[in-house]
């Protein structure tokens, strides 16, 4: 097990090795299990997060606990599509491209992302490895960087990023308030915090069905597909542990964010919390 | 009947009450938190509801067919479907003097408990020497058996663990190699001997992957031989193998009424 010099958590959090090893064993089958457990709906949730983010070309994104790259890849697709749309619009409005831009096009030097960059940060080596492999397989190269780091102590300077996202990662952090403070620190003024996470279901019938499904079906799926009952039992229990929407909103406000809002998806099974550093 | 069903349904719908209320950091959740407040009966125990067992049984059966290399799925299938049969097996072990001793002393077979050096020094035709030869030739190790997790009785968990651990001994007694055909023959023998649903399912569905020639040999010669021997022999779980290393294999086979296999199948399947 790796000891990261900058990570002080090992000294007082003896529960941490448990979480780390869970994701070590889970990494390989992470994407398959996500599809199985959420019946593919997690893809819609992540798409909705990007829609909410609505990044424009030039955005600097930090995706924390972004392990296998789902958010990063969607971000790259989004800004690339935006950039192409912008260029089409320019051409159609008969704003001619400058000679420099034409020359760059011929030399294939043009930045198809328009200056956008995404940094994927994760505490777990196995998850990052999976993410890099996926990136290679799908041909994502430009604008993508992978960094090993701890959400409670990010290896970045202050005021660096336009957007900070954490999708299905913050419930695994030992000290959520510290992660929120770090998020506030590394965002530029005007930057946006976005969190996609499991939350409290607001509909009693859906809640019942969701509980049955979570506790009866998901560990079984974990055992049958990934050969790992305990990790998935842990997953469903960590979801129940996480603070409900309003409480989490208050925690985000405590970290210094303003205009904090949340949006429930699928009757509150997940929620997107958003805040700004102003 | 419907009252019992209602209780079962209600029990499986009950959410995890112990974890409501003050939310703690998720990393504090112990990995072995149980879902219905039941205590662990043995260290590796994972308590499961009836619904979970049914889903596990179905899922593991499907996965075992889909990916034959998932031996863990066969094990899970055995654990989730074998409760009643294990009780019968345990009871008949209690009635047999050697079986009762095994239940009491709970011997385990693993690299830690076997003295391989001593086995190697035994005379050529002894059971212990032949068992070691079987392990060497087929390149298997006695440590590959996963611990029992889904059986909700501590003694029965041992019984199924013992069944798994003596599987290699049964191979030695029957003279069957570890290729697919050999495994199917052993499963037929075990199915007749133990009645475990997992053995019966494996015996019936295992042959699906065989070639026509192997299937022919299996059905015409090997299965009748395995069934005959399975019926004739006393339950192989009642043998205290650890005390019989020096016994000549031939004598042991005679004692159990096990005949030579009708033909060698090393090259088949």
């Amino acid at each position: 097990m790796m000891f990261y010099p900058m990570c002080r958590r090992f000294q007082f959090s003896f529960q941490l090795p448990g979480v780390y090893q869970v994701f070590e064993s889970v990494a390989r089958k992470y994407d398959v299990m996500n599809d199985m457990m959420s019946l593919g709906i997690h893809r819609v949730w992540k798409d909705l997060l990007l829609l909410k983010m609505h990044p424009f070309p030039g955005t600097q994104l930090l995706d924390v606990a972004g392990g296998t790259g789902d958010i990063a890849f969607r971000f790259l697709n989004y800004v690339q599509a935006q950039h192409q749309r912008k260029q089409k619009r320019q051409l159609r409005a008969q704003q001619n491209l400058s000679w420099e831009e034409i020359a760059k096009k011929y030399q294939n030097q043009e930045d198809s992302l328009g200056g956008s960059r995404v940094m994927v940060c994760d505490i777990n080596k196995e998850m990052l490895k999976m993410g890099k492999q996926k990136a290679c397989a799908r041909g994502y190269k430009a604008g993508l960087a992978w960094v090993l780091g701890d959400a409670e102590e990010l290896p970045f300077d202050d005021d660096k990023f336009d957007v900070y996202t954490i999708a299905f990662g913050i419930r695994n952090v030992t000290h959520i308030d510290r992660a929120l403070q770090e998020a506030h620190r590394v965002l530029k003024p005007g930057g946006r915090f976005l969190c996609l996470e499991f939350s409290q279901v607001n509909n009693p019938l859906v809640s019942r069905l969701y509980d049955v499904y979570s506790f009866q079906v998901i560990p079984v799926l974990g055992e049958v597909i990934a050969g790992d009952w305990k990790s998935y039992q842990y997953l469903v229990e960590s979801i129940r542990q996480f603070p409900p929407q309003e409480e989490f909103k208050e925690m985000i406000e405590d970290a210094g964010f303003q205009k904090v809002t949340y949006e429930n998806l699928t009757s509150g099974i997940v929620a997107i919390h958003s805040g700004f550093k102003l | 009947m419907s009252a019992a069903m209602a209780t079962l349904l209600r029990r499986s719908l009950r959410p995890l009450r112990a974890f409501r209320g003050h939310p703690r950091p998720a990393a504090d959740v112990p990995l072995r938190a149980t879902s219905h407040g039941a205590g662990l009966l043995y260290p590796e125990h994972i308590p499961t509801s009836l619904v979970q067992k049914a889903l596990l049984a179905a899922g593991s059966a499907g996965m075992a067919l889909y990916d034959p290399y998932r031996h863990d799925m066969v094990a899970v299938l055995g654990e989730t479907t074998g409760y009643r049969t294990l009780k019968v097996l345990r009871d008949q072990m209690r009635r047999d003097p050697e079986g009762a001793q095994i239940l009491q002393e709970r011997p385990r077979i693993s690299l830690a408990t076997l003295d391989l050096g001593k086995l190697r020094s035994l005379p050529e035709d002894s059971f212990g020497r032949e068992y070691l030869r079987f392990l060497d030739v087929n390149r298997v190790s006695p440590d590959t058996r996963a611990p029992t997790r889904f059986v909700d009785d501590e003694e029965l968990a041992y019984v199924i663990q013992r069944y798994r651990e003596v599987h290699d001994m049964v191979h030695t007694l029957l003279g069957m190699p570890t290729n697919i055909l050999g495994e199917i023959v052993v499963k037929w023998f075990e199915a007749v001997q133990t009645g475990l649903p997992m053995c019966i399912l494996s015996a019936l569905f295992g042959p699906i992957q065989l070639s026509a020639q192997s299937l022919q040999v299996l059905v015409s010669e090997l299965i009748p031989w395995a069934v005959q021997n399975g019926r004739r022999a006393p339950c192989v779980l009642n043998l205290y193998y650890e005390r019989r290393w020096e016994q000549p294999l031939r004598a042991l086979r005679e004692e159990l009424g096990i005949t030579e296999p009708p033909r060698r199948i090393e090259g088949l399947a």
Side-chain angles (χ1 to χ4, degrees), chain A residues 15 19 22 171 174 211-212 215-216 220 223-225 227 229-230 234 237-238 241, chain B residues 12-13 15-16 19 23-29 33 46 48-49 52 63 70 73 149:
Chain A
Q15 296 97 344
V19 178
V22 162
R171 73 175 188 281
T174 318
D211 281 348
V212 173
F215 288 102
Q216 303 302 320
V220 174
E223 177 65 29
V224 171
I225 296 175
W229 176 284
K230 289 184 176 170
Y234 163 78
E237 281 163 5
S238 72
Q241 294 270 359
Chain B
S12 60
L13 284 174
L16 196 66
F19 288 85
R24 301 181 275 138
D28 282 350
V29 175
I46 296 178
T48 42
S49 67
Q52 285 174 323
M63 186 53 101
R70 292 290 302 273
M73 289 289 101
R149 284 171 300 156

mmCIF file of all heavy atoms in Angstrom, chain A residues 15 19 22 171 174 211-212 215-216 220 223-225 227 229-230 234 237-238 241, chain B residues 12-13 15-16 19 23-29 33 46 48-49 52 63 70 73 149:
data_model
loop_
_atom_site.group_PDB
_atom_site.id
_atom_site.type_symbol
_atom_site.label_atom_id
_atom_site.label_comp_id
_atom_site.label_asym_id
_atom_site.label_seq_id
_atom_site.Cartn_x
_atom_site.Cartn_y
_atom_site.Cartn_z
ATOM 1 N N GLN A 15 -9.551 3.950 9.577
ATOM 2 C CA GLN A 15 -10.562 3.355 8.720
ATOM 3 C C GLN A 15 -10.214 3.537 7.259
ATOM 4 O O GLN A 15 -10.729 2.858 6.414
ATOM 5 C CB GLN A 15 -11.939 3.979 8.957
ATOM 6 C CG GLN A 15 -12.499 3.742 10.338
ATOM 7 C CD GLN A 15 -12.222 4.924 11.233
ATOM 8 O OE1 GLN A 15 -11.391 5.762 10.917
ATOM 9 N NE2 GLN A 15 -12.918 4.990 12.351
ATOM 10 N N VAL A 19 -11.432 1.989 2.935
ATOM 11 C CA VAL A 19 -11.988 2.659 1.758
ATOM 12 C C VAL A 19 -11.061 2.489 0.573
ATOM 13 O O VAL A 19 -11.488 2.195 -0.538
ATOM 14 C CB VAL A 19 -12.189 4.168 2.040
ATOM 15 C CG1 VAL A 19 -12.715 4.869 0.807
ATOM 16 C CG2 VAL A 19 -13.157 4.361 3.168
ATOM 17 N N VAL A 22 -11.237 -0.927 -0.863
ATOM 18 C CA VAL A 22 -12.508 -1.122 -1.549
ATOM 19 C C VAL A 22 -12.367 -0.686 -2.996
ATOM 20 O O VAL A 22 -12.709 -1.412 -3.919
ATOM 21 C CB VAL A 22 -13.633 -0.325 -0.859
ATOM 22 C CG1 VAL A 22 -14.823 -0.149 -1.785
ATOM 23 C CG2 VAL A 22 -14.060 -1.026 0.410
ATOM 24 N N ARG A 171 -18.747 11.309 -0.842
ATOM 25 C CA ARG A 171 -19.215 10.527 0.295
ATOM 26 C C ARG A 171 -18.124 9.597 0.808
ATOM 27 O O ARG A 171 -18.228 9.051 1.906
ATOM 28 C CB ARG A 171 -20.468 9.735 -0.068
ATOM 29 C CG ARG A 171 -20.203 8.578 -0.964
ATOM 30 C CD ARG A 171 -21.438 7.735 -1.231
ATOM 31 N NE ARG A 171 -21.054 6.545 -1.939
ATOM 32 C CZ ARG A 171 -20.798 6.504 -3.249
ATOM 33 N NH1 ARG A 171 -20.913 7.597 -3.976
ATOM 34 N NH2 ARG A 171 -20.419 5.389 -3.813
ATOM 35 N N THR A 174 -13.178 11.244 4.220
ATOM 36 C CA THR A 174 -13.360 11.159 5.669
ATOM 37 C C THR A 174 -13.846 12.476 6.255
ATOM 38 O O THR A 174 -14.774 12.501 7.056
ATOM 39 C CB THR A 174 -12.039 10.770 6.350
ATOM 40 O OG1 THR A 174 -11.418 9.754 5.595
ATOM 41 C CG2 THR A 174 -12.300 10.270 7.746
ATOM 42 N N ASP A 211 -34.622 1.210 -1.383
ATOM 43 C CA ASP A 211 -33.994 0.480 -0.286
ATOM 44 C C ASP A 211 -33.919 -1.007 -0.577
ATOM 45 O O ASP A 211 -32.878 -1.650 -0.390
ATOM 46 C CB ASP A 211 -34.782 0.687 1.024
ATOM 47 C CG ASP A 211 -34.475 2.034 1.657
ATOM 48 O OD1 ASP A 211 -33.514 2.678 1.208
ATOM 49 O OD2 ASP A 211 -35.196 2.436 2.576
ATOM 50 N N VAL A 212 -35.035 -1.564 -1.026
ATOM 51 C CA VAL A 212 -35.040 -2.998 -1.339
ATOM 52 C C VAL A 212 -33.978 -3.287 -2.386
ATOM 53 O O VAL A 212 -33.164 -4.198 -2.251
ATOM 54 C CB VAL A 212 -36.418 -3.456 -1.857
ATOM 55 C CG1 VAL A 212 -36.348 -4.900 -2.327
ATOM 56 C CG2 VAL A 212 -37.454 -3.322 -0.775
ATOM 57 N N PHE A 215 -30.314 -2.888 -0.927
ATOM 58 C CA PHE A 215 -29.797 -3.854 0.038
ATOM 59 C C PHE A 215 -29.951 -5.294 -0.395
ATOM 60 O O PHE A 215 -29.163 -6.147 0.003
ATOM 61 C CB PHE A 215 -30.438 -3.627 1.416
ATOM 62 C CG PHE A 215 -29.921 -2.382 2.060
ATOM 63 C CD1 PHE A 215 -30.678 -1.223 2.058
ATOM 64 C CD2 PHE A 215 -28.657 -2.359 2.615
ATOM 65 C CE1 PHE A 215 -30.182 -0.065 2.608
ATOM 66 C CE2 PHE A 215 -28.152 -1.202 3.178
ATOM 67 C CZ PHE A 215 -28.910 -0.054 3.179
ATOM 68 N N GLN A 216 -30.975 -5.577 -1.210
ATOM 69 C CA GLN A 216 -31.148 -6.968 -1.633
ATOM 70 C C GLN A 216 -30.409 -7.267 -2.917
ATOM 71 O O GLN A 216 -29.838 -8.337 -3.073
ATOM 72 C CB GLN A 216 -32.646 -7.288 -1.838
ATOM 73 C CG GLN A 216 -33.513 -7.032 -0.610
ATOM 74 C CD GLN A 216 -33.063 -7.823 0.601
ATOM 75 O OE1 GLN A 216 -32.685 -8.981 0.484
ATOM 76 N NE2 GLN A 216 -33.085 -7.214 1.764
ATOM 77 N N VAL A 220 -25.624 -8.526 -4.160
ATOM 78 C CA VAL A 220 -25.655 -9.751 -4.959
ATOM 79 C C VAL A 220 -24.982 -9.503 -6.311
ATOM 80 O O VAL A 220 -24.166 -10.304 -6.774
ATOM 81 C CB VAL A 220 -27.106 -10.242 -5.152
ATOM 82 C CG1 VAL A 220 -27.150 -11.424 -6.095
ATOM 83 C CG2 VAL A 220 -27.715 -10.627 -3.814
ATOM 84 N N GLU A 223 -21.325 -9.471 -5.902
ATOM 85 C CA GLU A 223 -20.743 -10.808 -5.736
ATOM 86 C C GLU A 223 -20.701 -11.540 -7.061
ATOM 87 O O GLU A 223 -19.694 -12.138 -7.424
ATOM 88 C CB GLU A 223 -21.567 -11.607 -4.714
ATOM 89 C CG GLU A 223 -21.097 -13.029 -4.513
ATOM 90 C CD GLU A 223 -19.716 -13.133 -3.901
ATOM 91 O OE1 GLU A 223 -19.324 -12.231 -3.144
ATOM 92 O OE2 GLU A 223 -19.009 -14.117 -4.202
ATOM 93 N N VAL A 224 -21.801 -11.497 -7.807
ATOM 94 C CA VAL A 224 -21.891 -12.268 -9.045
ATOM 95 C C VAL A 224 -20.985 -11.684 -10.131
ATOM 96 O O VAL A 224 -20.285 -12.412 -10.820
ATOM 97 C CB VAL A 224 -23.357 -12.343 -9.533
ATOM 98 C CG1 VAL A 224 -23.439 -12.944 -10.918
ATOM 99 C CG2 VAL A 224 -24.189 -13.158 -8.565
ATOM 100 N N ILE A 225 -20.970 -10.365 -10.262
ATOM 101 C CA ILE A 225 -20.208 -9.766 -11.351
ATOM 102 C C ILE A 225 -18.760 -9.526 -10.971
ATOM 103 O O ILE A 225 -17.849 -9.832 -11.735
ATOM 104 C CB ILE A 225 -20.861 -8.451 -11.801
ATOM 105 C CG1 ILE A 225 -22.245 -8.746 -12.372
ATOM 106 C CG2 ILE A 225 -20.000 -7.748 -12.837
ATOM 107 C CD1 ILE A 225 -23.012 -7.516 -12.740
ATOM 108 N N GLY A 227 -17.318 -10.519 -7.916
ATOM 109 C CA GLY A 227 -16.786 -11.442 -6.917
ATOM 110 C C GLY A 227 -16.497 -10.740 -5.609
ATOM 111 O O GLY A 227 -15.600 -11.126 -4.866
ATOM 112 N N TRP A 229 -18.710 -9.065 -2.545
ATOM 113 C CA TRP A 229 -19.939 -8.672 -1.852
ATOM 114 C C TRP A 229 -19.702 -7.459 -0.971
ATOM 115 O O TRP A 229 -20.444 -6.499 -0.966
ATOM 116 C CB TRP A 229 -20.410 -9.849 -0.991
ATOM 117 C CG TRP A 229 -21.593 -9.581 -0.144
ATOM 118 C CD1 TRP A 229 -21.634 -8.874 1.012
ATOM 119 C CD2 TRP A 229 -22.921 -10.050 -0.363
ATOM 120 N NE1 TRP A 229 -22.901 -8.866 1.528
ATOM 121 C CE2 TRP A 229 -23.705 -9.580 0.712
ATOM 122 C CE3 TRP A 229 -23.515 -10.828 -1.357
ATOM 123 C CZ2 TRP A 229 -25.058 -9.866 0.803
ATOM 124 C CZ3 TRP A 229 -24.863 -11.099 -1.256
ATOM 125 C CH2 TRP A 229 -25.618 -10.625 -0.181
ATOM 126 N N LYS A 230 -18.599 -7.529 -0.211
ATOM 127 C CA LYS A 230 -18.391 -6.559 0.861
ATOM 128 C C LYS A 230 -18.197 -5.139 0.349
ATOM 129 O O LYS A 230 -18.677 -4.190 0.959
ATOM 130 C CB LYS A 230 -17.201 -6.986 1.713
ATOM 131 C CG LYS A 230 -17.541 -8.212 2.532
ATOM 132 C CD LYS A 230 -16.435 -8.603 3.461
ATOM 133 C CE LYS A 230 -16.898 -9.776 4.310
ATOM 134 N NZ LYS A 230 -15.796 -10.363 5.062
ATOM 135 N N TYR A 234 -20.596 -2.051 1.325
ATOM 136 C CA TYR A 234 -20.047 -0.786 1.801
ATOM 137 C C TYR A 234 -20.616 0.382 0.996
ATOM 138 O O TYR A 234 -21.019 1.405 1.548
ATOM 139 C CB TYR A 234 -18.521 -0.776 1.707
ATOM 140 C CG TYR A 234 -17.950 0.618 1.804
ATOM 141 C CD1 TYR A 234 -17.846 1.252 3.029
ATOM 142 C CD2 TYR A 234 -17.598 1.333 0.659
ATOM 143 C CE1 TYR A 234 -17.386 2.561 3.121
ATOM 144 C CE2 TYR A 234 -17.145 2.639 0.741
ATOM 145 C CZ TYR A 234 -17.033 3.239 1.974
ATOM 146 O OH TYR A 234 -16.592 4.534 2.049
ATOM 147 N N GLU A 237 -24.167 1.238 1.948
ATOM 148 C CA GLU A 237 -24.248 1.801 3.285
ATOM 149 C C GLU A 237 -23.678 3.213 3.332
ATOM 150 O O GLU A 237 -24.201 4.079 4.038
ATOM 151 C CB GLU A 237 -23.542 0.882 4.280
ATOM 152 C CG GLU A 237 -24.432 -0.297 4.629
ATOM 153 C CD GLU A 237 -23.706 -1.440 5.272
ATOM 154 O OE1 GLU A 237 -22.504 -1.296 5.542
ATOM 155 O OE2 GLU A 237 -24.349 -2.478 5.487
ATOM 156 N N SER A 238 -22.613 3.469 2.553
ATOM 157 C CA SER A 238 -22.037 4.814 2.555
ATOM 158 C C SER A 238 -23.023 5.811 1.968
ATOM 159 O O SER A 238 -23.032 6.983 2.331
ATOM 160 C CB SER A 238 -20.712 4.838 1.789
ATOM 161 O OG SER A 238 -20.927 4.713 0.400
ATOM 162 N N GLN A 241 -25.317 6.916 4.664
ATOM 163 C CA GLN A 241 -24.623 7.738 5.658
ATOM 164 C C GLN A 241 -24.557 9.210 5.262
ATOM 165 O O GLN A 241 -24.369 10.066 6.100
ATOM 166 C CB GLN A 241 -23.172 7.246 5.773
ATOM 167 C CG GLN A 241 -23.037 5.866 6.343
ATOM 168 C CD GLN A 241 -22.917 5.937 7.822
ATOM 169 O OE1 GLN A 241 -22.920 7.000 8.395
ATOM 170 N NE2 GLN A 241 -22.794 4.800 8.451
ATOM 171 N N SER B 12 -37.607 -8.236 4.326
ATOM 172 C CA SER B 12 -36.657 -7.862 3.277
ATOM 173 C C SER B 12 -36.806 -6.413 2.869
ATOM 174 O O SER B 12 -35.905 -5.823 2.308
ATOM 175 C CB SER B 12 -36.813 -8.767 2.060
ATOM 176 O OG SER B 12 -38.132 -8.649 1.562
ATOM 177 N N LEU B 13 -37.989 -5.787 3.201
ATOM 178 C CA LEU B 13 -38.166 -4.388 2.843
ATOM 179 C C LEU B 13 -37.634 -3.453 3.922
ATOM 180 O O LEU B 13 -37.485 -2.275 3.716
ATOM 181 C CB LEU B 13 -39.661 -4.079 2.620
ATOM 182 C CG LEU B 13 -40.257 -4.571 1.310
ATOM 183 C CD1 LEU B 13 -41.752 -4.320 1.289
ATOM 184 C CD2 LEU B 13 -39.627 -3.845 0.132
ATOM 185 N N PRO B 15 -35.428 -1.178 5.894
ATOM 186 C CA PRO B 15 -34.134 -0.564 5.567
ATOM 187 C C PRO B 15 -33.168 -0.683 6.729
ATOM 188 O O PRO B 15 -33.505 -1.182 7.779
ATOM 189 C CB PRO B 15 -34.506 0.906 5.303
ATOM 190 C CG PRO B 15 -35.720 1.119 6.124
ATOM 191 C CD PRO B 15 -36.467 -0.169 6.161
ATOM 192 N N LEU B 16 -31.987 -0.179 6.523
ATOM 193 C CA LEU B 16 -30.931 -0.315 7.499
ATOM 194 C C LEU B 16 -31.153 0.687 8.623
ATOM 195 O O LEU B 16 -30.627 1.785 8.612
ATOM 196 C CB LEU B 16 -29.592 -0.067 6.813
ATOM 197 C CG LEU B 16 -28.370 -0.539 7.571
ATOM 198 C CD1 LEU B 16 -28.363 -2.044 7.672
ATOM 199 C CD2 LEU B 16 -27.128 -0.063 6.859
ATOM 200 N N PHE B 19 -28.339 2.694 10.738
ATOM 201 C CA PHE B 19 -27.497 3.729 10.158
ATOM 202 C C PHE B 19 -28.249 5.022 9.859
ATOM 203 O O PHE B 19 -27.723 5.913 9.221
ATOM 204 C CB PHE B 19 -26.831 3.204 8.883
ATOM 205 C CG PHE B 19 -25.764 2.199 9.192
ATOM 206 C CD1 PHE B 19 -26.087 0.864 9.369
ATOM 207 C CD2 PHE B 19 -24.462 2.582 9.350
ATOM 208 C CE1 PHE B 19 -25.115 -0.067 9.686
ATOM 209 C CE2 PHE B 19 -23.478 1.648 9.654
ATOM 210 C CZ PHE B 19 -23.810 0.342 9.815
ATOM 211 N N PRO B 23 -25.471 11.439 10.545
ATOM 212 C CA PRO B 23 -24.584 10.860 9.528
ATOM 213 C C PRO B 23 -23.123 10.951 9.945
ATOM 214 O O PRO B 23 -22.680 11.989 10.405
ATOM 215 C CB PRO B 23 -24.841 11.732 8.289
ATOM 216 C CG PRO B 23 -25.733 12.834 8.721
ATOM 217 C CD PRO B 23 -25.953 12.760 10.181
ATOM 218 N N ARG B 24 -22.419 9.845 9.807
ATOM 219 C CA ARG B 24 -20.993 9.863 10.102
ATOM 220 C C ARG B 24 -20.228 9.871 8.792
ATOM 221 O O ARG B 24 -20.782 9.536 7.766
ATOM 222 C CB ARG B 24 -20.621 8.598 10.871
ATOM 223 C CG ARG B 24 -21.366 8.451 12.174
ATOM 224 C CD ARG B 24 -20.934 7.194 12.898
ATOM 225 N NE ARG B 24 -21.646 6.019 12.451
ATOM 226 C CZ ARG B 24 -21.041 4.852 12.252
ATOM 227 N NH1 ARG B 24 -19.760 4.739 12.420
ATOM 228 N NH2 ARG B 24 -21.732 3.812 11.870
ATOM 229 N N PRO B 25 -18.964 10.234 8.857
ATOM 230 C CA PRO B 25 -18.191 10.129 7.608
ATOM 231 C C PRO B 25 -18.252 8.715 7.083
ATOM 232 O O PRO B 25 -18.142 7.763 7.843
ATOM 233 C CB PRO B 25 -16.762 10.468 8.029
ATOM 234 C CG PRO B 25 -16.881 11.170 9.317
ATOM 235 C CD PRO B 25 -18.163 10.758 9.955
ATOM 236 N N ALA B 26 -18.454 8.594 5.811
ATOM 237 C CA ALA B 26 -18.682 7.280 5.226
ATOM 238 C C ALA B 26 -17.541 6.328 5.478
ATOM 239 O O ALA B 26 -17.745 5.129 5.572
ATOM 240 C CB ALA B 26 -18.920 7.432 3.721
ATOM 241 N N ALA B 27 -16.342 6.849 5.592
ATOM 242 C CA ALA B 27 -15.197 5.955 5.755
ATOM 243 C C ALA B 27 -15.211 5.261 7.106
ATOM 244 O O ALA B 27 -14.463 4.330 7.329
ATOM 245 C CB ALA B 27 -13.901 6.734 5.575
ATOM 246 N N ASP B 28 -16.075 5.735 8.052
ATOM 247 C CA ASP B 28 -16.139 5.077 9.346
ATOM 248 C C ASP B 28 -16.952 3.801 9.296
ATOM 249 O O ASP B 28 -16.960 3.036 10.233
ATOM 250 C CB ASP B 28 -16.796 6.001 10.389
ATOM 251 C CG ASP B 28 -15.828 7.068 10.876
ATOM 252 O OD1 ASP B 28 -14.632 6.950 10.554
ATOM 253 O OD2 ASP B 28 -16.261 8.007 11.554
ATOM 254 N N VAL B 29 -17.710 3.599 8.238
ATOM 255 C CA VAL B 29 -18.593 2.428 8.173
ATOM 256 C C VAL B 29 -17.747 1.167 8.146
ATOM 257 O O VAL B 29 -16.918 1.003 7.275
ATOM 258 C CB VAL B 29 -19.455 2.481 6.886
ATOM 259 C CG1 VAL B 29 -20.279 1.219 6.748
ATOM 260 C CG2 VAL B 29 -20.340 3.706 6.922
ATOM 261 N N ALA B 33 -20.464 -4.464 8.145
ATOM 262 C CA ALA B 33 -21.770 -4.147 8.733
ATOM 263 C C ALA B 33 -22.821 -5.090 8.176
ATOM 264 O O ALA B 33 -22.892 -5.318 6.986
ATOM 265 C CB ALA B 33 -22.139 -2.711 8.387
ATOM 266 N N ILE B 46 -21.403 -14.018 6.003
ATOM 267 C CA ILE B 46 -22.155 -12.855 5.528
ATOM 268 C C ILE B 46 -23.631 -13.223 5.637
ATOM 269 O O ILE B 46 -24.138 -14.017 4.845
ATOM 270 C CB ILE B 46 -21.808 -12.529 4.061
ATOM 271 C CG1 ILE B 46 -20.344 -12.122 3.939
ATOM 272 C CG2 ILE B 46 -22.689 -11.390 3.554
ATOM 273 C CD1 ILE B 46 -19.925 -11.820 2.505
ATOM 274 N N THR B 48 -27.467 -13.322 5.044
ATOM 275 C CA THR B 48 -28.226 -12.922 3.873
ATOM 276 C C THR B 48 -29.700 -13.234 4.084
ATOM 277 O O THR B 48 -30.053 -14.209 4.737
ATOM 278 C CB THR B 48 -27.748 -13.687 2.618
ATOM 279 O OG1 THR B 48 -27.533 -15.055 2.966
ATOM 280 C CG2 THR B 48 -26.481 -13.105 2.070
ATOM 281 N N SER B 49 -30.560 -12.407 3.479
ATOM 282 C CA SER B 49 -31.992 -12.663 3.563
ATOM 283 C C SER B 49 -32.358 -13.718 2.526
ATOM 284 O O SER B 49 -31.557 -14.068 1.662
ATOM 285 C CB SER B 49 -32.758 -11.376 3.277
ATOM 286 O OG SER B 49 -32.548 -11.011 1.928
ATOM 287 N N GLN B 52 -32.080 -12.330 -0.926
ATOM 288 C CA GLN B 52 -30.689 -12.271 -1.377
ATOM 289 C C GLN B 52 -30.187 -13.656 -1.763
ATOM 290 O O GLN B 52 -29.483 -13.817 -2.765
ATOM 291 C CB GLN B 52 -29.799 -11.696 -0.283
ATOM 292 C CG GLN B 52 -29.949 -10.214 -0.113
ATOM 293 C CD GLN B 52 -29.157 -9.687 1.064
ATOM 294 O OE1 GLN B 52 -29.054 -10.335 2.105
ATOM 295 N NE2 GLN B 52 -28.604 -8.510 0.923
ATOM 296 N N MET B 63 -23.995 -17.079 -13.956
ATOM 297 C CA MET B 63 -22.609 -16.665 -14.188
ATOM 298 C C MET B 63 -21.702 -17.874 -14.354
ATOM 299 O O MET B 63 -20.761 -17.855 -15.138
ATOM 300 C CB MET B 63 -22.127 -15.789 -13.023
ATOM 301 C CG MET B 63 -20.769 -15.187 -13.234
ATOM 302 S SD MET B 63 -20.622 -14.279 -14.785
ATOM 303 C CE MET B 63 -20.782 -12.628 -14.232
ATOM 304 N N ARG B 70 -15.328 -19.142 -13.422
ATOM 305 C CA ARG B 70 -15.746 -18.543 -12.151
ATOM 306 C C ARG B 70 -16.090 -19.651 -11.159
ATOM 307 O O ARG B 70 -17.262 -19.925 -10.873
ATOM 308 C CB ARG B 70 -16.959 -17.627 -12.338
ATOM 309 C CG ARG B 70 -16.698 -16.379 -13.131
ATOM 310 C CD ARG B 70 -15.826 -15.397 -12.369
ATOM 311 N NE ARG B 70 -16.414 -15.011 -11.103
ATOM 312 C CZ ARG B 70 -17.273 -14.001 -10.933
ATOM 313 N NH1 ARG B 70 -17.656 -13.286 -11.980
ATOM 314 N NH2 ARG B 70 -17.745 -13.712 -9.747
ATOM 315 N N MET B 73 -18.330 -18.913 -8.247
ATOM 316 C CA MET B 73 -19.780 -18.908 -8.441
ATOM 317 C C MET B 73 -20.376 -20.277 -8.155
ATOM 318 O O MET B 73 -21.475 -20.386 -7.591
ATOM 319 C CB MET B 73 -20.124 -18.490 -9.876
ATOM 320 C CG MET B 73 -19.855 -17.028 -10.128
ATOM 321 S SD MET B 73 -21.019 -15.955 -9.276
ATOM 322 C CE MET B 73 -20.088 -15.424 -7.873
ATOM 323 N N ARG B 149 -19.249 -18.606 3.102
ATOM 324 C CA ARG B 149 -19.730 -17.297 3.579
ATOM 325 C C ARG B 149 -21.238 -17.227 3.793
ATOM 326 O O ARG B 149 -21.715 -16.543 4.688
ATOM 327 C CB ARG B 149 -19.353 -16.195 2.579
ATOM 328 C CG ARG B 149 -17.885 -15.793 2.645
ATOM 329 C CD ARG B 149 -17.506 -14.880 1.517
ATOM 330 N NE ARG B 149 -17.722 -15.518 0.225
ATOM 331 C CZ ARG B 149 -17.921 -14.860 -0.913
ATOM 332 N NH1 ARG B 149 -17.947 -13.545 -0.914
ATOM 333 N NH2 ARG B 149 -18.099 -15.500 -2.044
#
